[in-house]
Amino acid sequence: MGRNVEEKAEELLAQTGIDSVPVDLECIAGHLGIKIRLKVFEGDLSGVLMRPRSGDPVIAINRSHNKKRQRFSLAHEIAHFQLGHAGELFVDQMVLNRRDVRSSYAIDPQEIEANAFAAALLMPRQFVFDAMVAMFEDGNVQEQTEIIGKLARTFDVSTQAMGYRLINLGLLTSVGDS
Ligand SMILES: [Zn+2]
Protein backbone atom coordinates (compact mmCIF):
# COMPACT_ATOMS: atom_id res chain seq x y z
CA MET A 1 0.00 0.00 0.00
CA GLY A 2 2.74 2.45 0.97
CA ARG A 3 4.45 2.70 -2.36
CA ASN A 4 1.20 2.79 -4.22
CA VAL A 5 -0.04 5.75 -2.22
CA GLU A 6 3.22 7.61 -2.89
CA GLU A 7 2.82 7.08 -6.62
CA LYS A 8 -0.83 8.08 -6.61
CA ALA A 9 0.00 11.31 -4.79
CA GLU A 10 2.83 12.08 -7.23
CA GLU A 11 0.47 11.38 -10.12
CA LEU A 12 -2.07 13.85 -8.78
CA LEU A 13 0.60 16.52 -8.27
CA ALA A 14 1.84 16.00 -11.83
CA GLN A 15 -1.69 16.15 -13.27
CA THR A 16 -2.33 19.37 -11.40
CA GLY A 17 0.98 20.85 -12.53
CA ILE A 18 2.27 21.41 -9.02
CA ASP A 19 6.05 21.51 -8.85
CA SER A 20 6.75 23.54 -5.74
CA VAL A 21 6.02 23.53 -2.02
CA PRO A 22 4.07 24.30 0.06
CA VAL A 23 1.67 22.28 -2.04
CA ASP A 24 -1.32 24.30 -3.20
CA LEU A 25 -4.22 22.13 -2.02
CA GLU A 26 -6.87 24.60 -3.17
CA CYS A 27 -5.50 24.24 -6.68
CA ILE A 28 -5.70 20.44 -6.42
CA ALA A 29 -9.26 20.56 -5.09
CA GLY A 30 -10.21 22.89 -7.94
CA HIS A 31 -8.63 20.55 -10.45
CA LEU A 32 -10.71 17.69 -9.05
CA GLY A 33 -13.90 19.76 -9.13
CA ILE A 34 -14.21 19.78 -5.35
CA LYS A 35 -15.73 22.76 -3.57
CA ILE A 36 -14.14 23.81 -0.27
CA ARG A 37 -16.19 25.25 2.57
CA LEU A 38 -14.77 26.61 5.80
CA LYS A 39 -17.09 26.02 8.74
CA VAL A 40 -17.11 26.19 12.48
CA PHE A 41 -17.77 22.70 13.83
CA GLU A 42 -18.41 21.72 17.38
CA GLY A 43 -15.76 19.74 19.19
CA ASP A 44 -12.94 17.93 17.48
CA LEU A 45 -14.47 17.46 14.04
CA SER A 46 -11.75 18.35 11.56
CA GLY A 47 -13.14 17.67 8.11
CA VAL A 48 -16.02 16.27 6.12
CA LEU A 49 -16.16 15.00 2.55
CA MET A 50 -19.59 14.98 0.97
CA ARG A 51 -19.90 13.19 -2.33
CA PRO A 52 -23.51 13.40 -3.39
CA ARG A 53 -24.80 11.20 -6.20
CA SER A 54 -25.56 14.37 -8.12
CA GLY A 55 -23.82 17.70 -7.81
CA ASP A 56 -20.28 18.67 -6.95
CA PRO A 57 -18.30 17.03 -4.18
CA VAL A 58 -17.75 19.30 -1.19
CA ILE A 59 -15.10 19.28 1.50
CA ALA A 60 -15.94 21.18 4.67
CA ILE A 61 -13.04 22.06 6.95
CA ASN A 62 -13.20 23.19 10.56
CA ARG A 63 -11.90 26.74 10.45
CA SER A 64 -11.57 26.96 14.20
CA HIS A 65 -8.56 24.63 13.95
CA ASN A 66 -5.14 26.06 13.24
CA LYS A 67 -4.08 26.50 9.62
CA LYS A 68 -1.68 23.59 9.53
CA ARG A 69 -4.30 21.24 10.89
CA GLN A 70 -6.81 22.59 8.37
CA ARG A 71 -4.31 21.83 5.61
CA PHE A 72 -3.85 18.26 6.79
CA SER A 73 -7.63 17.82 7.08
CA LEU A 74 -8.10 19.11 3.53
CA ALA A 75 -5.40 16.76 2.22
CA HIS A 76 -7.01 13.85 4.11
CA GLU A 77 -10.44 14.53 2.60
CA ILE A 78 -8.93 14.95 -0.88
CA ALA A 79 -7.36 11.54 -0.28
CA HIS A 80 -10.73 9.87 0.42
CA PHE A 81 -12.00 11.38 -2.82
CA GLN A 82 -9.01 10.61 -4.99
CA LEU A 83 -8.52 7.08 -3.66
CA GLY A 84 -12.12 6.28 -4.54
CA HIS A 85 -13.07 5.23 -1.04
CA ALA A 86 -16.60 3.94 -0.94
CA GLY A 87 -19.23 6.15 0.65
CA GLU A 88 -21.07 9.40 0.11
CA LEU A 89 -20.05 10.96 3.39
CA PHE A 90 -16.83 10.92 5.38
CA VAL A 91 -16.68 12.60 8.76
CA ASP A 92 -13.25 12.89 10.30
CA GLN A 93 -12.36 13.83 13.80
CA MET A 94 -8.74 12.91 14.01
CA VAL A 95 -6.54 13.12 10.98
CA LEU A 96 -3.14 12.25 12.37
CA ASN A 97 -2.38 8.73 13.43
CA ARG A 98 -1.49 9.02 17.04
CA ARG A 99 0.40 6.00 18.14
CA ASP A 100 -1.03 6.18 21.61
CA VAL A 101 -4.61 5.99 20.38
CA ARG A 102 -5.99 2.50 19.88
CA SER A 103 -9.33 3.34 18.41
CA SER A 104 -11.09 1.56 15.58
CA TYR A 105 -10.54 4.78 13.66
CA ALA A 106 -6.79 4.42 13.82
CA ILE A 107 -6.87 0.92 12.37
CA ASP A 108 -9.54 1.50 9.72
CA PRO A 109 -7.62 0.72 6.50
CA GLN A 110 -9.27 3.57 4.59
CA GLU A 111 -8.31 6.08 7.27
CA ILE A 112 -4.74 4.82 7.39
CA GLU A 113 -4.54 5.00 3.62
CA ALA A 114 -6.07 8.51 3.58
CA ASN A 115 -3.50 9.69 6.13
CA ALA A 116 -0.67 8.15 4.14
CA PHE A 117 -1.90 9.78 0.95
CA ALA A 118 -2.35 13.13 2.71
CA ALA A 119 1.23 12.98 4.00
CA ALA A 120 2.53 12.04 0.55
CA LEU A 121 0.56 14.88 -1.03
CA LEU A 122 1.64 17.55 1.47
CA MET A 123 5.20 16.29 1.75
CA PRO A 124 6.06 14.67 -1.60
CA ARG A 125 9.04 12.39 -1.03
CA GLN A 126 11.26 13.88 -3.73
CA PHE A 127 10.65 17.40 -2.42
CA VAL A 128 11.44 16.25 1.11
CA PHE A 129 14.68 14.58 -0.06
CA ASP A 130 15.65 17.69 -2.04
CA ALA A 131 14.89 20.03 0.86
CA MET A 132 16.88 17.86 3.20
CA VAL A 133 19.87 17.73 0.86
CA ALA A 134 19.72 21.50 0.38
CA MET A 135 19.71 21.96 4.14
CA PHE A 136 22.80 19.85 4.62
CA GLU A 137 24.51 21.62 1.75
CA ASP A 138 23.92 24.85 3.65
CA GLY A 139 25.81 23.19 6.45
CA ASN A 140 24.18 25.03 9.34
CA VAL A 141 21.80 22.43 10.72
CA GLN A 142 22.64 20.37 13.78
CA GLU A 143 19.64 19.41 15.87
CA GLN A 144 16.98 16.96 14.75
CA THR A 145 14.25 19.24 16.08
CA GLU A 146 15.76 22.07 14.05
CA ILE A 147 15.63 19.96 10.87
CA ILE A 148 12.01 18.98 11.50
CA GLY A 149 11.02 22.56 12.33
CA LYS A 150 12.61 23.98 9.23
CA LEU A 151 11.09 21.36 6.93
CA ALA A 152 7.67 21.79 8.59
CA ARG A 153 7.78 25.50 7.78
CA THR A 154 8.90 24.83 4.20
CA PHE A 155 6.00 22.44 3.59
CA ASP A 156 3.50 24.31 5.81
CA VAL A 157 2.70 21.30 7.98
CA SER A 158 2.90 20.62 11.70
CA THR A 159 6.18 19.45 13.16
CA GLN A 160 4.38 16.27 14.27
CA ALA A 161 3.29 15.50 10.70
CA MET A 162 6.79 16.20 9.38
CA GLY A 163 8.37 14.08 12.10
CA TYR A 164 6.21 11.07 11.17
CA ARG A 165 6.88 11.67 7.49
CA LEU A 166 10.65 11.67 7.95
CA ILE A 167 10.43 8.43 9.93
CA ASN A 168 8.21 6.82 7.28
CA LEU A 169 10.63 7.87 4.54
CA GLY A 170 13.48 6.36 6.50
CA LEU A 171 15.17 9.73 6.94
CA LEU A 172 14.89 9.73 10.74
CA THR A 173 14.99 6.83 13.11
CA SER A 174 13.20 8.53 15.99
CA VAL A 175 11.74 11.86 16.98
CA GLY A 176 12.39 13.83 20.13
CA ASP A 177 12.77 11.89 23.32
CA SER A 178 11.50 8.52 22.13
ZN1 LIG B 1 -10.97 10.01 6.97
Side-chain angles (χ1 to χ4, degrees), residues 34-37 48-50 57-61 74 77-78:
I34 301 170
K35 303 269 182 287
I36 301 170
R37 305 270 180 267
V48 179
L49 167 64
M50 288 158 280
V58 175
I59 290 174
I61 297 296
L74 179 53
E77 302 307 333
I78 288 173

Side-chain angles (χ1 to χ4, degrees), residues 3-154:
R3 192 161 186 85
N4 222 351
V5 165
E6 297 289 337
E7 284 163 5
K8 285 176 187 170
E10 284 163 4
E11 224 173 75
L12 180 56
L13 290 166
Q15 281 168 12
T16 318
I18 287 175
D19 57 5
S20 64
V21 291
V23 170
D24 186 344
L25 293 177
E26 283 76 13
C27 176
I28 292 174
H31 172 79
L32 295 172
I34 301 170
K35 303 269 182 287
I36 301 170
R37 305 270 180 267
L38 296 178
K39 305 271 187 192
V40 174
F41 293 125
E42 292 294 323
D44 211 29
L45 193 77
S46 55
V48 179
L49 167 64
M50 288 158 280
R51 203 168 41 185
R53 285 175 202 279
S54 61
D56 291 331
V58 175
I59 290 174
I61 297 296
N62 192 343
R63 67 182 175 92
S64 60
H65 288 161
N66 73 55
K67 289 285 179 197
K68 287 179 170 52
R69 186 158 175 204
Q70 288 183 35
R71 256 172 80 70
F72 203 94
S73 300
L74 179 53
H76 178 103
E77 302 307 333
I78 288 173
H80 279 310
F81 180 85
Q82 183 66 6
L83 294 169
H85 289 165
E88 287 178 43
L89 180 68
F90 293 87
V91 179
D92 287 292
Q93 296 201 314
M94 183 182 64
V95 292
L96 271 181
N97 268 327
R98 294 183 191 151
R99 284 152 193 218
D100 55 338
V101 174
R102 299 275 180 273
S103 65
S104 60
Y105 182 92
I107 57 167
D108 180 332
Q110 287 197 346
E111 297 309 324
I112 292 169
E113 195 185 27
N115 279 340
F117 185 95
L121 195 62
L122 285 168
M123 299 165 276
R125 57 185 168 179
Q126 194 56 53
F127 288 92
V128 175
F129 293 145
D130 291 348
M132 202 126 171
V133 168
M135 216 179 338
F136 285 114
E137 279 173 349
D138 287 348
N140 59 354
V141 175
Q142 300 101 21
E143 298 287 337
Q144 188 166 290
T145 51
E146 200 185 328
I147 295 171
I148 295 169
K150 199 173 172 189
L151 289 174
R153 283 192 294 280
T154 300

